Amino acid sequence: MTIDENLLVLLLALLLDRIVGDPQWLWSQLPHPVAIFGEAISFADRKLNNASLKAARRRMNGVGAILALLLLAVVAGIVFNRFFAFFGPIGIVLETGLVAIFLAQKSLADHVLAVAAALRDEGIAGGRAAVSRIVGRDPETLDEPAVCRAAIESLAENFSDGVVAPALWYAVFGLPGLLAYKMLNTADSMIGHKSEKYIDFGWASARLDDLANWPAARLSILLIAAGAWLRRGTSACREAIRVAMRDGGLHRSPNSGRPEAAMAGALNVQLAGPRIYGGVVVAEPMINNAGRDVATSRDIEDGISVFHASCMVLAGLTFGLFLCFL
């Protein structure tokens, strides 16, 4: 496909995902593509990440595994692209549906909004249960403001790597780029952490994922700021950019802190700070330390509003670029 066709498909996919999201009836009948990626990653893990191997060998195996998986994803993208090309305009519709599967606008908003609804309807127990579905920290250690912060952080971080990054990789490299990015991002979530089992085998996946998400994390700052301007005014827009520039590097991730800091500034709340994963306290500095120290379910809802507006700006930007390349 040409760049203008990619942009047209991306625009349609953004709209489709915003309206339909991830239909559970479909994935109850068929395996989700990300689940297929996960099976391939798990197979490589079982075969190549043997605890009896030396650390250097496990690291080399991890490098080889992720490169092979990325090659597999690129080849799959090329095959799908050429297959869809046989069908002309119908192929554009088919590719739109495939691209929409790898975007996370509606599903992300639904999961985060469920946290606010659970807090309101079921109290702290419901909020903890709902937030445990989208974050990895120990839910029983969270009070209500911490549950709200966790939901907002997940919203901002996943806006970058669940919406902006796949859109960017597809716009530039088409289906091969999109599938390679999703394979890499899935690998990072499965094996890219610093546990004893994966610190060596997952090293390459984690480093490559950091590199792949670098542009989208910075673009997300501008999109969140634009969404804040549309929903909350000029001051919120300015604060989103100011806090992102000042505090975006405080996060342990080179990328996640950028959209989180932008959202913290847009909502005038503190985010991040110390938290507990697997019974271990992870000490991190507070993002937007001058913001409100008590987040509420209303902040989650305001964050969703900014998120929707940011997604709308992304779609508008895609449409503008499409017109430029016509």
Side-chain angles (χ1 to χ4, degrees):
M1 279 192 174
T2 59
I3 184 67
D4 60 316
E5 290 174 325
N6 280 356
L7 290 168
L8 174 60
V9 168
L10 177 58
L11 176 62
L12 295 174
L14 286 166
L15 296 175
L16 179 63
D17 177 60
R18 176 67 183 86
I19 297 168
V20 177
D22 253 357
Q24 291 305 308
W25 61 265
L26 178 62
W27 306 126
S28 65
Q29 306 297 319
L30 297 172
H32 196 287
V34 172
I36 297 174
F37 290 171
E39 288 295 326
I41 295 161
S42 294
F43 176 80
D45 183 20
R46 291 193 302 271
K47 295 297 183 181
L48 300 173
N49 189 23
N50 193 314
S52 64
L53 297 175
K54 292 183 178 180
R57 181 62 181 177
R58 289 202 304 273
R59 179 169 290 201
M60 288 303 299
N61 284 357
V63 171
I66 192 58
L67 291 179
L69 289 166
L70 289 175
L71 178 61
L72 183 65
V74 168
V75 170
I78 293 171
V79 169
F80 274 112
N81 183 259
R82 293 184 177 178
F83 175 72
F84 292 149
F86 283 118
F87 297 94
I90 295 177
I92 290 179
V93 175
L94 294 173
E95 186 156 331
T96 295
L98 181 58
V99 173
I101 289 171
F102 293 103
L103 299 171
Q105 296 169 102
K106 187 175 187 298
S107 60
L108 175 57
D110 288 348
H111 279 93
V112 174
L113 198 56
V115 178
L119 282 170
R120 186 168 52 248
D121 298 338
E122 305 168 40
I124 186 62
R128 286 171 174 167
V131 83
S132 69
R133 301 184 187 105
I134 58 174
V135 300
R137 66 199 69 172
D138 297 341
E140 296 306 314
T141 66
L142 304 178
D143 58 13
E144 184 167 335
V147 167
C148 295
R149 286 198 304 272
I152 295 167
E153 290 161 17
S154 180
L155 176 68
E157 178 182 353
N158 285 290
F159 171 61
S160 177
D161 62 20
V163 179
V164 181
L168 190 58
W169 278 87
Y170 177 78
V172 178
F173 297 109
L175 279 179
L178 174 61
L179 267 60
Y181 171 76
K182 292 303 293 186
M183 177 68 82
L184 179 60
N185 192 241
T186 305
D188 178 62
S189 68
M190 292 178 65
I191 64 174
H193 20 95
K194 295 182 179 180
S195 64
E196 183 178 352
K197 181 178 181 180
Y198 293 120
I199 191 168
D200 294 305
F201 185 71
W203 173 82
S205 296
R207 298 292 78 75
L208 287 174
D209 186 72
D210 287 343
L211 185 63
N213 278 298
W214 196 96
R218 277 74 187 166
L219 177 58
S220 295
I221 295 172
L222 300 178
L223 292 171
I224 290 172
W229 176 70
L230 289 172
R231 292 289 186 261
R232 298 174 63 82
T234 304
S235 177
C237 172
R238 185 168 54 247
E239 282 299 292
I241 295 174
R242 187 182 69 83
V243 175
M245 293 297 100
R246 187 192 66 200
D247 294 350
L250 296 178
H251 199 282
R252 69 186 184 281
S253 164
N255 296 314
S256 298
R258 315 296 168 167
E260 287 186 23
M263 188 64 80
L267 302 178
N268 187 34
V269 294
Q270 296 177 358
L271 294 179
R275 70 218 55 197
I276 300 175
Y277 293 94
V280 178
V281 177
V282 177
E284 288 192 12
M286 193 69 72
I287 291 175
N288 193 27
N289 197 48
R292 286 181 292 108
D293 60 356
V294 177
T296 67
S297 59
R298 178 58 187 270
D299 291 313
I300 297 177
E301 293 166 349
D302 288 344
I304 292 288
S305 177
V306 171
F307 167 77
H308 282 322
S310 300
C311 291
M312 183 173 66
V313 172
L314 176 61
L317 179 61
T318 303
F319 179 63
L321 289 172
F322 168 69
L323 293 179
C324 290
F325 281 97
L326 273 180

